[in-house]
Amino acid sequence: MNKHTVLVTGGAGFIGSHACVELLQAGYGVVVVDNLVNSKAEALSRVERITGKTLPFYQADIRDKPALTEIFAKESIATVMHFAGLKAVGESCEQPLNYYHNNVYGTLVLLEAMRDANVKQMVFSSSATVYQPSATGEYSEDFPLGAINPYGRSKVIIEDILRDVSAVDKIKQNGAPWKIALLRYFNPIGAHECGMIGEDPNGIPNNLMPYVLQVAIGKLRQLSVFGNDYPTPDGTGIRDYIHVVDLVKGHIKAIEAIESDKFKAGGCHAYNLGTGKGYSVLDIVNTFEKVTGRKVNYQFAPRRTGDLAESFANPERAARELDWVAEKNLDDMITDAWNWQVKNPQGYVD
Ligand code: NAD
Ligand code: UDP
C-alpha cells in the first residue's frame, strides 16, 4: 500500500533523483515535474530501474501555472518536495534576473497552485548560503540570515515568503495550516551506492567534488585549489560535506515530522542538514587518493571571490526534532561518487 503521493519538483536533478529513490523505497507515491534545464530524463528511467517502480513525469516549468494546475488536478498530491531551481553562485552574479525569475517567481507560482489545490505541506531545498558569514564557521538555524550573492538571496527571499505564507494562515486559522520544512543543505556530494544515479554537471564543473572526479578520470588536466592562505590548519577552505543519500533521508524524516504532532500547529521550521564536521580542500584530495588509488593533480590558485574560509553545520536541531543524523563518512562519499563516475564517464546519455 502506498503512503501518500509527493510531488517532486526538480526530480530529475542530482538531489531530486536521489529523493525519488528514497521516497519510492519508503512506500510513497512520486510524481515529478522538471523542465530538464539542468538534467536529463534518463535519470528518472534509472530511478525506475533501481526501485522497480514507475513514476509519472511531467516535463514542465514550475512557472507554468496551467501546467501545475493540471498536475494537481490529475494526481492526488499531499506534499511537495521543492528542489527545482538554478544553483550556480557565479552564474547568479552574471544573470541575477534569471535567477530571481526562476527561483523566486517559480516558487510563487508553485505556492499559488498549491493553495488553489489545497496542498499545504512542503519540504523546501534551502542552503547554507542563506546565512551571514560567521566568524567561527559554525552555523545554527537561529544565526542571522544575510546571503552575499543573488543565488543565496533568492533562497532567503523564498524562505521569507514561506514564513509569511505560513504565518498568515496560522493567524486566521484558515482551514488546515501550512506545514513547511526549510532544509538548509551544506555541501552534498556522493551518489547512490549502486552507481546508476549521480551528479552530472553541464560543462566544466564549478564544485569541488565533480571537478576532482573529472581530473582523476582524465577529462580535466588539473584541479585549482582556490586559496592556501586561509586561517585554517592547512590554509585551504573548509566545508561540511554530506552524502546525498544521508541528505535525502533527512527529507523523509521531514515529511514524517510534518505529518506528526510536531507540526500540529503548522508553520515554517528550518533545519540544517550537515554532518557538523569540516574537511579542507586538501583533506578531500588526500582522502580521494587514499580511497580510489588515483592521483589528483592540483595547483594552488588565488582565492575564489565570495568564498568563506570555513563553513560547517551545527546539526543538533535536526537530530533532536527530526530524529535525523548523517551516517556516512567521507570515505563513503568519495567511494560512491567515484563508483558513479567510473560507471558513467560521460554522465547520463539519453
Ligand atoms: P540540479 O540542478 O541537479 O537539480 C535542479 C533541478 O531543477 C534540475 O533537474 C532542473 O532541470 C530543474 N529545474 C530548474 N529550474 C526549473 C524550473 N523553473 N521548472 C522546472 N524544473 C526546473 O541541482 P541539485 O544539486 O539537485 O539541487 C536541488 C536543489 O537543492 C536546488 O534548489 C538547489 O538550489 C538546492 N541546493 C543544492 C546544493 C548543492 O550543492 N547541490 C546545496 C544547497 C541547496
Ligand atoms: N574549490 C576549489 N577548487 C575548485 C572548486 C572548489 O578549491 O575547483 C574549493 C572552494 O574554494 C571551497 C570548496 O572547494 O573551499 C568547496 O567549494 P564548492 O564550490 O564545491 O562548494 P561551496 O561551498 O562553494 O558551495
Side-chain angles (χ1 to χ4, degrees):
M1 235 274 289
N2 261 1
K3 295 182 186 162
H4 72 241
T5 297
V6 179
L7 175 65
V8 181
T9 75
F14 169 44
I15 304 170
S17 56
H18 288 81
C20 290
V21 168
E22 213 56 40
L23 283 164
L24 289 166
Q25 289 180 337
Y28 291 90
V30 173
V31 175
V32 168
V33 58
D34 197 306
N35 65 359
L36 303 182
V37 68
N38 196 36
S39 53
K40 300 205 175 71
E42 172 64 14
L44 296 172
S45 307
R46 306 263 181 111
V47 168
E48 291 184 333
R49 272 164 55 197
I50 293 167
T51 59
K53 298 185 178 175
T54 53
L55 52 96
F57 169 48
Y58 294 85
Q59 185 174 344
D61 195 298
I62 55 163
R63 291 166 291 186
D64 181 347
K65 178 88 182 286
L68 290 187
T69 303
E70 193 188 322
I71 296 170
F72 281 108
K74 269 199 187 153
E75 311 285 348
S76 162
I77 289 158
T79 304
V80 175
M81 264 191 199
H82 180 27
F83 296 98
L86 301 176
K87 62 165 183 176
V89 170
E91 193 180 63
S92 79
C93 300
E94 304 290 321
Q95 310 170 10
L97 291 179
N98 190 26
Y99 268 66
Y100 288 122
H101 199 269
N102 195 80
N103 295 2
V104 179
Y105 175 66
T107 303
L108 281 179
V109 174
L110 174 65
L111 287 168
E112 286 172 3
M114 290 176 67
R115 177 202 56 199
D116 295 351
N118 201 29
V119 174
K120 291 172 140 186
Q121 302 190 152
M122 177 184 270
V123 179
F124 172 61
S125 298
S126 191
S127 166
T129 58
V130 296
Y131 293 116
Q132 261 178 36
S134 112
T136 63
E138 183 177 10
Y139 295 90
S140 300
E141 289 82 354
D142 44 17
F143 197 81
L145 302 187
I148 55 170
N149 54 62
Y151 164 70
R153 276 191 284 275
S154 78
K155 294 291 184 186
V156 175
I157 294 168
I158 294 167
E159 285 203 0
D160 283 339
I161 292 169
L162 294 173
R163 275 185 283 271
D164 287 344
V165 164
S166 57
V168 169
D169 225 53
K170 259 174 120 172
I171 296 161
K172 289 194 175 165
Q173 291 297 309
N174 187 8
W178 284 85
K179 299 178 177 181
I180 301 172
L182 309 173
L183 302 185
R184 296 178 181 155
Y185 311 159
F186 281 70
N187 288 59
I189 61 169
H192 193 270
E193 66 178 12
C194 70
M196 287 170 66
I197 55 173
E199 189 170 11
D200 182 19
N202 282 330
I204 296 179
N206 294 307
N207 296 112
L208 179 63
M209 183 49 61
Y211 207 104
V212 167
L213 292 168
Q214 295 197 12
V215 170
I217 207 157
K219 282 175 81 176
L220 293 171
R221 206 175 55 81
Q222 192 172 48
L223 170 73
S224 290
V225 175
F226 297 140
N228 63 346
D229 56 353
Y230 283 109
T232 59
D234 66 19
T236 67
I238 289 180
R239 295 290 181 276
D240 183 339
Y241 296 93
I242 172 166
H243 196 296
V244 64
V245 171
D246 274 336
L247 186 86
V248 297
K249 285 186 172 158
H251 292 61
I252 306 281
K253 291 288 194 178
I255 293 195
E256 287 171 6
I258 279 175
E259 301 205 314
S260 74
D261 276 355
K262 289 178 195 158
F263 271 67
K264 200 165 67 188
C268 196
H269 304 271
Y271 299 96
N272 285 339
L273 295 186
T275 64
K277 291 192 203 73
Y279 290 99
S280 74
V281 177
L282 291 183
D283 288 334
I284 296 290
V285 169
N286 294 333
T287 310
F288 190 93
E289 292 184 342
K290 180 197 79 181
V291 168
T292 67
R294 291 286 181 122
K295 185 103 197 82
V296 180
N297 290 322
Y298 72 86
Q299 62 175 7
F300 290 116
R303 293 181 180 190
R304 185 170 66 178
T305 312
D307 272 357
L308 304 171
E310 193 165 2
S311 162
F312 58 93
N314 177 328
E316 283 166 19
R317 185 186 287 176
R320 205 172 50 244
E321 296 183 17
L322 301 182
D323 185 30
W324 172 88
V325 287
E327 285 167 359
K328 293 176 185 278
N329 62 26
L330 189 59
D331 285 16
D332 301 326
M333 300 181 212
I334 291 175
T335 301
D336 292 338
W338 182 237
N339 183 35
W340 151 256
Q341 180 70 55
V342 170
K343 287 185 172 152
N344 304 272
Q346 306 306 327
Y348 294 113
V349 185
D350 256 328

